[in-house]
Amino acid sequence: MSITSNHHQSVMFDESIEGLNIKNGGIYIDATFGRGGHTQGILDKLDDSGSVIAFDQDIHAVEYARENFNDDRLTVIHSAFTHMGKILSERNLSGKIDGILMDLGVSSPQLDNAQRGFSFNADGPLDMRMDQTSGISAAQWLEKADAVEIANVLYEFGEEKRSRHIASAIKHYQQDKTITTTLQLANIITSVVKSHKNKHPATRSFQAIRIFINQELRQLTKTLDQTIDLLAPEGRLSIISFHSIEDRIVKQFIQRYSKQKQLPKGLPIMDSGTEQTLFKNLGKQFASKAEVSINKRSRSAILRIAKRTTLEAQTC
Ligand SMILES: C[S@@+](CC[C@H](N)C(=O)[O-])C[C@H]1O[C@@H](n2cnc3c(N)ncnc32)[C@H](O)[C@@H]1O
């Protein structure tokens, strides 16, 4: 049965908005609009002279925003967040952004609508693209990829130990039939993977294929790099991720730029540029027990907050 929902319960809402340290007249970016829960939270804390620019690569999210948000302080852009550096610098906003919020992954409306192809529980076309206006669907990719490529994706992005077995089961199935639906794929996976700790056997594979199809990790890495030039001094990063691979990228980015390089004792500092600290690491948080009890999705959420250093702090 196909369930279409427009509802998305924002994860770690208070903590992530708090992390932005919203100030009067500030310019904030919600890189992942979804159904606008976090955007609304930012707007509620902003005065009249502030503004929010929100991105989403899913046209349905953008249409939802246009139909349901009527606020002159808000601009919604249909684009992958990886283009934010270019888009914001064209608007002369480089170095002027006071906070960037990212609530990564897919939204409940995307997961709950079987027609989007993200769910292994409900049958629908095997699509999995967040932006259905470009790229190829998961079904098209599985058709053209060989077993090695499929196994690598399942292992790299899903940490799926049975990756090779699943890949060869997929290729075996495709000798007679084409995989076009989510349940076809889920059933093939279930034929070679046992469920573990009540997790559906296809959980890891669906996550891996989704990450690959949407190039999620590459987009995240590229975008984090852009935040360095976009943020104003003291500007905040508030990033919620939902699995360890994604969180590792955020953690390593913040750590790389928040640590001063340790030079071996006695060595003179030749280039003060190598001593730059671009961010202050303000730590990580998990969803509270109370939130996890009412929103299962928050169980795996990790929020990381960092502050862009002031210009003075950068030069040692
Ligand atoms: C978890 S939901 C965000 C929910 C939102 N914070 C709320 O409270 O309603 C993630 C959203 O980000 C979008 N998204 C994910 N990756 C994106 C990217 N690279 N560029 C733009 N949007 C992206 C998805 O389409 C989805 O709508």
Side-chain angles (χ1 to χ4, degrees):
M1 192 175 67
S2 138
I3 308 160
T4 310
S5 157
N6 256 333
H7 186 66
H8 178 90
Q9 234 173 328
S10 300
V11 168
M12 298 194 75
F13 178 85
D14 291 333
E15 299 91 331
S16 58
I17 302 286
E18 193 78 13
L20 291 174
N21 193 33
I22 292 172
K23 58 177 200 190
N24 287 344
I27 307 173
Y28 293 89
I29 305 299
D30 182 349
T32 51
F33 179 83
R35 285 301 176 265
H38 286 100
T39 287
Q40 188 60 58
I42 302 170
L43 289 168
D44 288 345
K45 291 218 161 194
L46 259 186
D47 66 350
D48 286 346
S49 60
S51 57
V52 178
I53 301 171
F55 290 84
D56 206 297
Q57 61 183 341
D58 185 343
I59 191 66
H60 300 290
V62 175
E63 280 163 3
Y64 181 87
R66 293 187 178 140
E67 282 160 22
N68 295 281
F69 281 69
N70 181 16
D71 191 316
D72 291 343
R73 298 170 299 166
L74 174 65
T75 306
V76 182
I77 298 174
H78 178 225
S79 166
F81 51 59
T82 192
H83 303 304
M84 77 164 72
K86 182 169 178 286
I87 292 171
L88 296 175
S89 83
E90 281 167 4
R91 292 171 185 229
N92 210 13
L93 289 174
S94 285
K96 296 183 183 162
I97 304 300
D98 296 294
I100 299 174
L101 184 139
M102 301 174 94
D103 175 17
L104 297 165
V106 280
S107 64
S108 303
Q110 287 167 331
L111 279 173
D112 293 346
N113 181 354
Q115 295 307 310
R116 300 301 301 267
F118 291 108
S119 172
F120 43 73
N121 286 317
D123 206 12
L126 185 61
D127 191 326
M128 294 203 199
R129 284 170 301 164
M130 291 188 214
D131 180 1
Q132 291 180 305
T133 65
S134 72
I136 62 165
S137 70
Q140 287 168 320
W141 174 66
L142 283 178
E143 189 61 33
K144 72 180 181 72
D146 64 24
V148 174
E149 192 182 349
I150 295 172
N152 286 345
V153 165
L154 300 184
Y155 190 73
E156 193 180 341
F157 302 132
E159 294 170 334
E160 173 55 71
K161 292 196 185 81
R162 303 274 296 163
S163 56
R164 290 211 190 114
H165 292 88
I166 298 170
S168 59
I170 288 171
K171 285 294 136 187
H172 181 74
Y173 184 94
Q174 285 173 330
Q175 285 171 3
D176 301 323
K177 292 185 208 138
T178 311
I179 303 173
T180 56
T181 74
T182 49
L183 285 195
Q184 267 177 307
L185 177 62
N187 290 337
I188 296 167
I189 298 168
T190 307
S191 72
V192 286
V193 181
K194 288 199 187 93
S195 76
H196 181 62
K197 289 189 184 164
N198 287 334
K199 255 193 186 176
H200 190 289
T203 307
R204 287 173 181 277
S205 300
F206 268 61
Q207 172 192 298
I209 297 172
R210 188 202 88 203
I211 290 174
F212 173 75
I213 288 295
N214 294 286
Q215 295 291 300
E216 291 178 38
L217 305 183
R218 189 179 297 172
Q219 292 219 10
L220 175 60
T221 305
K222 276 170 118 179
T223 308
L224 287 172
D225 286 339
Q226 296 168 22
T227 66
I228 297 172
D229 289 335
L230 289 175
L231 285 168
E234 309 255 323
R236 296 289 187 98
L237 273 184
S238 183
I239 305 180
I240 307 167
S241 42
F242 289 89
H243 54 80
S244 56
I245 317 174
E246 203 168 61
D247 178 59
R248 204 176 306 137
I249 292 174
V250 180
K251 179 177 90 179
Q252 287 175 351
F253 172 79
I254 295 174
Q255 284 182 345
R256 185 177 340 127
Y257 291 109
S258 61
K259 275 194 191 126
Q260 294 201 349
K261 284 202 178 128
Q262 296 293 315
L263 294 175
K265 263 189 190 158
L267 262 187
I269 298 168
M270 302 300 288
D271 171 13
S272 64
T274 59
E275 291 289 291
Q276 283 189 349
T277 305
L278 301 180
F279 283 96
K280 183 169 174 18
N281 188 349
L282 301 182
K284 71 169 174 183
Q285 297 175 49
F286 301 98
S288 66
K289 276 192 184 143
E291 179 173 359
V292 174
S293 71
I294 51 169
N295 183 5
K296 228 174 76 184
R297 207 175 155 260
S298 66
R299 204 176 35 187
S300 47
I302 304 174
L303 167 68
R304 289 191 185 267
I305 297 167
K307 178 170 82 167
R308 186 76 167 86
T309 52
T310 57
L311 293 173
E312 298 78 61
Q314 288 175 31
T315 41
C316 307

